[in-house]
Amino acid sequence: MKLSNKFTLCRVVLSPVFFILYFLPIWLTNTSIQITLINKITGFVLIPLLAFMEFTDFLDGFSARRANEVSDFGKLFDPFADVIEHLTTFACFAFSGYFHVAFLILIIYREFTMNFIRMVAAKKGVAIAARKGGKFKTVLYVVTGFVALLVECVTRVTGEVPSFAGGFKVAVTVLAVLSVIAAYASFIDYITNFKSLLVEEK
């Protein structure tokens, strides 16, 4: 496997690790295990873990361009890994009430439909690479995730909801709305530019 694709694979592998660490204190609540310690450990680990996952998104593109490893497979694998990561984190945040579950559902609809379009295009020999709108949407996803995770991790480490939590939750809601708008705006852009690929051959 090419180095760039190994970086991409990291996001796929680490997404369930993030999920497990996020929910571990909840799953162990009714056990004799020291939940306070687990909360603090996960509170310290989750932000660096998410930061590393996002860093691999930079590394895979940088590595592919530098080593001239840009490929059709990579153009499909990279957005797939992004979807796995972001849906995982958003599911965690929706469960914790940082934004309404409706935002998560709308994002799931968009991402799954976009993946279907990529598969249709790939069958016709076309690899749809990320466009500017899609990249901007991803940036909003990342910012939304870090803002929500900051509140969650501070709460876990300190054992109490921080004073800035209310303002940050409003910010997360606003960012989530912007993320949904950007997601569907970029989706329309993809449809407009690749609509010929969606026409069923007779």
Side-chain angles (χ1 to χ4, degrees), residues 75-76 79 114-122 126 128-130 190:
K75 291 178 182 178
L76 294 173
M114 192 63 230
N115 273 351
F116 171 75
I117 292 173
R118 291 183 189 279
M119 287 189 294
V120 172
V126 178
I128 299 179
Y190 280 112

Side-chain angles (χ1 to χ4, degrees), residues 191-202:
I191 292 293
T192 302
N193 283 275
F194 297 99
K195 59 184 177 182
S196 61
L197 297 174
L198 303 178
V199 178
E200 186 175 4
E201 297 178 356
K202 296 182 179 180

